[in-house]
Amino acid sequence: MELNTNAKTNNSGALSTLVTVFFFWGFIAAGNSVFIPYCKHHFSLDQFQSQLIDFAFYLAYYVGALVLYAIASLFGKDVVARWGYRNSIVYGLLFSALGALVMILAVNANSFPGMLMGLFAVALGFSLQQTAANPFAALLGPAETGAHRITLGGGINSFGTAIGPIVVGLALFGTTKATTGEQISELVKTLGLSNVTILYTCVGALFLLAAGLFYFSKKLPAGKYESHANSSPKALAALMIMTVLLIAIFVPVFRSYLGLQPGEKASQEVEMDRMKWLFGGLIIIVGTLLISLALARRNGSGWGAMRYPQLVLGMLAIFTYVGVEVTIGSNLGELLKQPLFGGYSSAQIAPFASMYWGSLMIGRWTGSIKIFEPTVSVRNVLIFVVPLVAFAVVIGVNAIAQNDPAPLYWYVVCIPIQGIAFLAGQDKPAKTLLIFSLLGIICMLVGILTTGQVATYAFLSGGLFCSIMWPAIFVLAIAGLGKFTSQGSAFLIMMILGGSIIPPIQGKLADIAAIGIHNSYWVAVFCFGYLALFAISVKGILRRQGIDYDSTIGEGH
């Protein structure tokens, strides 16, 4: 590896270059929230059809990571390893630029399927970038701060998420003010395609500029290592079987939705059948991974990284984490429309959605403090000061967007709880993950058992406790994988698929009158429950492999 973990200055410069791609991921993904209402009104789609934008976007992560792994397994060459982390990011940026070009062509052809293809291509590039960037960040310095470097990247990602909708809204509509469906519809009627073309021309140009920055940067090492990939035919077969089964389940479901006439709704019986198919997809994913783990424990030959239980259980953890993070936010708008939660209109919900995603930024900014190596006393102060600064940034973003942030002011009382959790976690990934998972469970239960502002703040707090889960799960899942680290990283990226599976399940449960949107948040409780279970079990799994992660790597300073 061309990594100098002792050269702190050089690595700091390299890290500052690396985190720019984290910003892109958040910026573009958040921009989807602008294109969803645009496409819904412009192409006369129903709500589910408009959600195909997010489905196509997150599905690309799974497909991209699966293709990279399949190539490595079939040809014995790890593509990311052979190219190196830096070049892999460059190629990913170039592919995303190609996706931007497809978007431009599709918009000018007035083609919704073409736009989905463009977003899919952009996200495919992101998949390659993320497969390389996360382990690169973890390895770009001392092991004990690996999770904190990934958290810093996540903080930059969340900043992109916070400002992305504002910038995209200004570019497309000339306003950042929250609007009702009728106002959006009117804006779409007057929106020139040239605005969209100009936007994606600029986005594509930024991708190309970033690719050049990475390619010519002297601060960023190539990150190349042994490119030979040991064959893992059993793991490949398991994932391919899972993919085929998922296609068999979801293609008929989406075909039936696309077959509806504008404004037409499916019957209740058909909707119930679709919910069963969604649960079937969940069972296929969980079952495939657990069966694979059981078979690999009997005979590890041919399973590659999946012979390691921390990796397989970590795949389920990433799947669950991404799912719960997305589902809390995706269903929040419908919850807040209910009379017991304020009866807010569509125009009034924007600040709450902003604060939920801003809560992830609050946690990630706090989690990255250690990278700057403050003294213990300074760090203990910053753990409570930095979140307040981040909170002020979110409030300021809403002010710029002309949203009324007044209902969110008292949310500030929830933020110190996160600071206490960070101190209790002692910078130990497993312990921190357990504490944050338990707090996530408590917040969801408070939200389910109460109503009004208390419940709203409880659900918003889910963002605070999701914030550091990605890096904590990631470093625990790849610990001890050695030569299978890159393969394990690809497996973990695949599990971003959770963002496409879990939210629709909660949405379908909410459609059942006996459950409703409020009680549908039990889905989030079960998700946090698994994450707590993973945090408990992975510590023992690693210890049995001679890796005492909390004492040797997670030790506080």
Side-chain angles (χ1 to χ4, degrees), residues 103-124:
M103 274 291 295
I104 293 170
L105 296 175
V107 168
N108 283 278
N110 201 39
S111 170
F112 180 59
M115 291 177 66
L116 295 180
M117 290 177 60
L119 287 170
F120 185 84
V122 169
L124 271 180

Side-chain angles (χ1 to χ4, degrees), residues 47-322:
Q47 184 61 21
F48 183 89
Q49 289 169 328
S50 71
Q51 293 299 314
L52 289 176
I53 290 176
D54 273 340
F55 182 83
F57 192 82
Y58 288 108
L59 180 65
Y61 281 94
Y62 173 73
V63 173
L66 180 61
V67 169
L68 287 175
Y69 164 63
I71 293 173
S73 184
L74 293 173
F75 298 100
K77 294 292 183 180
D78 187 325
V79 176
V80 173
R82 187 173 185 179
W83 289 343
Y85 289 137
R86 182 178 64 187
N87 286 341
S88 295
I89 293 172
V90 170
Y91 299 150
L93 286 165
L94 292 176
F95 203 93
S96 292
L98 177 63
L101 176 60
V102 174
M103 274 291 295
I104 293 170
L105 296 175
V107 168
N108 283 278
N110 201 39
S111 170
F112 180 59
M115 291 177 66
L116 295 180
M117 290 177 60
L119 287 170
F120 185 84
V122 169
L124 271 180
F126 286 178
S127 177
L128 177 56
Q129 295 166 39
Q130 198 159 138
T131 300
N134 279 287
F136 202 6
L139 294 171
L140 202 60
E144 63 267 21
T145 56
H148 298 284
R149 284 188 294 279
I150 298 177
T151 301
L152 175 63
I156 301 299
N157 174 275
S158 294
F159 182 63
T161 300
I163 71 171
I166 295 175
V167 175
V168 173
L170 281 171
L172 291 181
F173 304 122
T175 179
T176 60
K177 189 174 182 179
T179 57
T180 64
E182 292 76 14
Q183 290 172 318
I184 291 175
S185 180
E186 188 62 31
L187 284 170
V188 169
K189 291 179 182 178
T190 60
L191 174 63
L193 289 177
S194 59
N195 286 15
V196 184
T197 301
I198 292 172
L199 171 64
Y200 267 87
T201 299
C202 294
V203 168
L206 287 174
F207 286 145
L208 293 175
L209 179 63
L213 176 65
F214 273 82
Y215 185 77
F216 293 107
S217 176
K218 296 181 180 179
K219 296 179 179 179
L220 200 65
K224 291 184 178 181
Y225 55 98
E226 176 57 46
S227 63
H228 176 73
N230 292 329
S231 178
S232 51
K234 294 179 182 178
L236 178 61
L239 291 171
M240 293 306 295
I241 291 172
M242 182 180 80
T243 302
V244 171
L245 291 175
L246 288 175
I247 292 173
I249 283 181
F250 288 116
V251 166
V253 174
F254 293 126
R255 182 179 297 166
S256 68
Y257 271 109
L258 290 172
L260 294 174
Q261 297 299 316
E264 181 184 357
K265 293 184 179 181
S267 66
Q268 186 67 27
E269 181 180 355
V270 173
E271 290 290 358
M272 288 296 294
D273 287 339
R274 288 168 178 165
M275 186 181 71
K276 293 175 183 178
W277 285 117
L278 283 172
F279 275 105
L282 179 63
I283 292 171
I284 286 172
I285 294 168
V286 175
T288 299
L289 293 180
L290 293 181
I291 292 172
S292 298
L293 175 59
L295 294 174
R297 296 181 78 171
R298 293 180 183 179
N299 181 4
S301 176
W303 285 100
M306 288 182 72
R307 75 178 66 176
Y308 296 93
Q310 67 267 32
L311 187 277
V312 177
L313 297 179
M315 291 169 68
L316 280 175
I318 289 291
F319 177 88
T320 305
Y321 150 69
V322 175

Side-chain angles (χ1 to χ4, degrees), residues 384-395:
F384 292 95
V385 172
V386 169
L388 295 177
V389 173
F391 174 76
V393 170
V394 177
I395 294 296

